Amino acid sequence: IILQLVVIWGVTAWLWPQDDDAPWKPSKLATLTAADDNWLQNYRSLCKLPAENAFLDAMVFAFDLEPDGGRLVGHGLTLQMQVPVASYRLDFLVDNELVVEVDGERWHASTKAIKRDAARNNALSAKGFEILRIPAKIARYEPDEAIALVCIARTQRLARQAQARLLKHQERGQNANKKKRQSAELSLNFEQTKIEVPQWQLHDGKFVIIRAN
C-alpha cells in the first residue's frame, strides 16, 4: 500500500501544472563576465572536439572576445556556441548568420555523412544562414588559417549585403526618376528632371564610385 501511495504521489506531482510565474533563472553562461576568472573554461566545456577548443581559443584571441549575456563579443563580431536551430545544433554561429561547423574526418568523410551534411546545409540555407565548414585538422593545427576562412566568409557576406542594399537604392532612384518624368509630362511649368544614381564597385574591400548615370 505504501508503495502504491508513493507511485500515486509521484505521478500526481509530475502531472500537476507548473507555476507559470516561477522566476526565470539565467543559464550559467548568461551570467558570466570578463571579470570571472574561468569564463573561457566554461565556454570551452561546450566543445565536443579538441579541434573545436582550438577554434574557440583562436577566435577569442583574434577578435578579443569577451562574454556578454551568453554570447562572446568583440570588434563588432558576435560568436555563439551550440545554438539550436530546428532539429540541429550549430557548432558555432557568427553574427547570427554565419554557421561555422568544425568537421572531424571520422564523422564527416563517409558517403552517408556527406549526404547528411548536404541536407543539413540545405535546411540551414533555407532559413537564411550561410555555412562554413572547416576541417578539424585545420581548426586544430592551423588555427590562423581557420580564422582567415572565417574572415573571408564574413567579408563576402557583408559585401553581398552591401550590394543588395545598393541595388535597392538604385531601384528607388529609378522609381523616383519615373515619377518625376510623369510629373513633368503633366505640367508645362516644370522641366523633366532625372536623379543621377552612382554606380559602385568593390575595390580593396571597399565600395567606390566608378561612374554616374
Side-chain angles (χ1 to χ4, degrees), residues 150-168:
V150 171
C151 291
I152 292 172
R154 191 168 177 248
T155 299
Q156 291 175 342
R157 177 179 58 80
L158 293 174
R160 285 192 292 269
Q161 291 176 345
Q163 183 67 24
R165 290 193 296 268
L166 177 60
L167 291 175
K168 288 184 179 180

Side-chain angles (χ1 to χ4, degrees), residues 55-179:
F55 177 76
L56 172 62
D57 291 346
M59 288 289 291
V60 170
F61 178 79
F63 295 98
D64 291 328
L65 300 180
E66 294 183 348
D68 181 11
R71 307 171 302 167
L72 295 173
V73 298
H75 291 294
L77 180 142
T78 299
L79 180 67
Q80 299 175 73
M81 301 176 58
Q82 297 300 316
V83 180
V85 175
S87 59
Y88 304 108
R89 187 168 291 274
L90 314 180
D91 289 346
F92 299 92
L93 181 61
V94 177
D95 297 336
N96 296 315
E97 295 179 343
L98 176 62
V99 177
V100 179
E101 299 286 323
V102 177
D103 293 345
E105 184 177 356
R106 178 181 178 184
W107 306 107
H108 297 270
S110 68
T111 301
K112 183 178 179 180
I114 292 174
K115 292 181 179 179
R116 182 186 65 238
D117 288 342
R120 178 186 176 106
N121 289 351
N122 292 336
L124 293 174
S125 295
K127 292 184 175 295
F129 294 102
E130 296 189 20
I131 299 92
L132 171 64
R133 291 189 172 275
I134 301 177
K137 289 183 178 180
I138 297 296
R140 186 174 185 180
Y141 300 111
E142 301 180 56
D144 289 346
E145 183 175 344
I147 296 301
L149 292 173
V150 171
C151 291
I152 292 172
R154 191 168 177 248
T155 299
Q156 291 175 342
R157 177 179 58 80
L158 293 174
R160 285 192 292 269
Q161 291 176 345
Q163 183 67 24
R165 290 193 296 268
L166 177 60
L167 291 175
K168 288 184 179 180
H169 172 72
Q170 291 176 330
E171 290 176 358
R172 287 196 297 266
Q174 291 172 358
N175 291 334
N177 287 338
K178 182 177 180 180
K179 290 180 180 180

Side-chain angles (χ1 to χ4, degrees), residues 173-187 191-195:
Q174 291 172 358
N175 291 334
N177 287 338
K178 182 177 180 180
K179 290 180 180 180
K180 288 189 176 183
R181 286 195 298 269
Q182 291 174 344
S183 176
E185 291 173 357
L186 295 175
S187 175
E191 294 183 355
Q192 182 176 347
T193 60
K194 181 179 180 181
I195 297 177

Side-chain angles (χ1 to χ4, degrees), residues 16-25:
W16 195 264
Q18 298 297 314
D19 184 6
D20 293 335
D21 296 329
W24 174 77
K25 294 183 179 180

